[in-house]
């Protein structure tokens, strides 16, 4: 398939590369020259503009930071939607508000363009390995068009419901992830403060009733898990500011439907404080620094 891939960051870069490796005709684009250079070095053709990447594409996939970036890419007179041919399939994998996803879908549908919100879970490891989980909102027929591509980037594909439903599922998941990373950090920090070996403690909890995804794949303490961002200076991975954005989306949504999410609200405040302390660009698992005893050795 002829695919335009817009947004080549920590997630989009490896996702675009997997489509390229699967033999699809990918033209990539990012505003960042460094991100473009990484893809070029991997042999993926890079366009000079989003519109150039999208010209003649059957499918446009985007992986951008937040709602405002998706709105500015697709909507308005200068937006990409005005330039895409009817019959194009648009798959936005960014985590954004369900309201923005629905607005983009409505504008796309009005132009005869199929549109899916398809946010992902699985982290940068899942993006590289092609084992992401996709949570898809939009028409079932559009999902069937997208499925062969999604299968090259992910291992689990769920149809959450109509336009915006993928985003709603995603913020529920990420609210839980944000909370459980803080809980896991507290438990590890408590054990370490008592002199326990963090590797042994993490393994005990992983195989006990406290077992969770952070303990399985993403231990927040440096040195416990070689492949986790914690062991790489919290570089790459899922930025604290992106987690903060998702927890904000969850709180906005909770207010709109009058849901009680006390731990989600507290988690948002803790990541906000962590970001204000200068850690917004670090992987979100660095939140363990808020509860760690200072190293006085
Ligand atoms: P990132 O900041 O690494 O990458 C985003 C990229 O988008 C950047 O390279 C930026 O230059 C580019 N960009 C921004 N506006 C653009 C535009 N108008 N045109 C072209 N490129 C543009 O972010 P990421 O970690 O790859 O995350 C992307 C999305 O995926 C976010 O919504 C995030 O919440 C979500 N997500 C991230 C992870 C993760 O582990 N990193 C996991 C699941 C979901």
């Amino acid at each position: 398939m002829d695919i335009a891939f817009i947004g080549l960051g920590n997630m989009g870069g490896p996702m675009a590369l997997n489509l390229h490796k699967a033999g699809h005709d990918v033209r990539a684009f990012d505003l960042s020259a460094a991100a473009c250079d990484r893809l070029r070095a991997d042999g993926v053709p890079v366009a000079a503009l989003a519109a150039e990447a999208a010209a003649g594409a059957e499918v446009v996939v985007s992986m951008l930071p937040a709602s405002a970036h998706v709105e500015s890419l697709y909507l308005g007179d200068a937006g990409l939607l005005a330039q895409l041919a009817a019959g194009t399939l648009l798959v936005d994998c960014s985590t954004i508000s369900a309201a923005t996803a629905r607005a983009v879908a409505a504008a796309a549908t009005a132009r005869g363009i199929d549109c899916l919100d398809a946010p992902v879970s699985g982290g940068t490891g899942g993006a590289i390995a092609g084992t992401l989980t996709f949570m898809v909102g939009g028409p079932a027929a559009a999902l069937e068009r997208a499925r062969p591509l999604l299968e090259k980037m992910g291992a689990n594909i769920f149809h959450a419901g109509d336009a915006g439903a993928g985003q709603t599922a995603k913020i529920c998941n990420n609210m839980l992830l944000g909370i459980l990373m803080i809980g896991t950090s507290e438990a590890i920090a408590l054990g370490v403060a008592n002199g326990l070996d963090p590797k042994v403690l993490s393994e005990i909890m992983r195989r006990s009733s406290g077992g969770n995804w952070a303990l399985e794949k993403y231990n927040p303490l440096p040195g416990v898990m070689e492949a986790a961002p914690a062991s790489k200076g919290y570089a790459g991975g899922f930025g604290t500011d992106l987690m903060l954005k998702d927890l904000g989306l969850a709180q906005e949504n909770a207010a709109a439907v009058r849901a009680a999410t006390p731990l989600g609200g507290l988690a948002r405040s803790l990541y906000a404080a962590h970001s204000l302390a200068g850690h917004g660009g670090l992987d979100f698992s660095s939140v363990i620094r808020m509860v760690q005893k200072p190293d006085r050795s």
Side-chain angles (χ1 to χ4, degrees):
M1 271 194 231
D2 197 332
I3 302 167
F5 203 114
I6 319 283
L8 310 171
N10 291 329
M11 296 294 287
M15 290 165 72
L17 184 58
N18 280 334
L19 291 176
H20 170 77
K21 282 183 184 162
H24 291 292
D25 209 345
V26 177
R27 280 187 309 283
F29 173 72
D30 195 293
L31 292 176
S32 146
C36 291
D37 286 347
R38 278 193 295 275
L39 269 278
R40 225 180 257 117
D42 285 324
V44 181
V46 175
L49 293 167
E52 193 182 307
E58 299 164 74
V59 186
V60 177
V61 185
S62 47
M63 191 49 158
L64 303 178
S67 300
H69 306 85
V70 174
E71 281 167 7
S72 81
L73 176 67
Y74 289 117
L75 302 180
D77 291 344
L80 218 49
L81 281 183
Q83 297 165 48
L84 297 177
T88 309
L89 170 64
L90 189 166
V91 184
D92 180 48
C93 300
S94 327
T95 303
I96 61 172
S97 76
T100 300
R102 283 193 290 268
V104 171
T109 306
R111 296 187 55 83
I113 293 165
D114 280 341
C115 183
L116 297 170
D117 49 292
V120 304
S121 176
T124 46
I128 293 165
T131 56
L132 293 169
T133 293
F134 284 92
M135 310 164 203
V136 183
L143 171 54
E144 290 320 306
R145 275 186 77 188
R147 192 178 289 279
L149 296 185
L150 302 185
E151 283 172 344
K152 297 288 181 266
M153 300 183 282
N156 303 297
I157 299 161
F158 292 103
H159 191 200
D162 294 339
Q167 297 297 347
T168 304
K170 172 67 183 169
I171 56 161
C172 293
N173 179 75
N174 273 27
M175 185 176 78
L176 177 57
L177 173 63
I179 293 167
L180 76 80
M181 186 57 81
I182 294 170
T184 303
S185 297
E186 284 185 16
I188 293 173
L190 177 63
V192 170
N194 279 279
L196 295 192
D197 178 334
K199 282 192 180 167
V200 174
L201 173 62
S202 294
E203 188 58 8
I204 290 170
M205 295 194 295
R206 187 177 78 84
R207 290 169 178 262
S208 302
S209 43
N212 65 55
W213 185 83
L215 290 169
E216 289 284 344
K217 302 213 164 114
Y218 219 91
N219 197 292
L221 196 73
V224 175
M225 224 170 241
E226 207 181 309
S231 298
K232 300 173 185 166
Y234 299 104
F238 181 44
T240 295
D241 282 343
L242 288 178
M243 174 54 87
L244 182 56
K245 169 205 56 156
D246 292 359
L247 291 169
L249 291 173
Q251 288 307 291
E252 275 170 29
N253 186 284
V257 299
R258 298 175 61 114
T261 53
L263 291 184
L266 179 57
R268 200 208 74 83
S269 292
L270 289 170
Y271 286 102
H274 189 51
S275 176
L276 284 174
H279 305 308
L282 297 184
D283 180 77
F284 80 112
S285 63
S286 63
V287 76
I288 195 171
R289 290 183 177 174
M290 291 194 86
V291 293
Q292 258 176 324
K293 249 187 156 173
D295 184 2
R296 301 201 194 284
S297 57

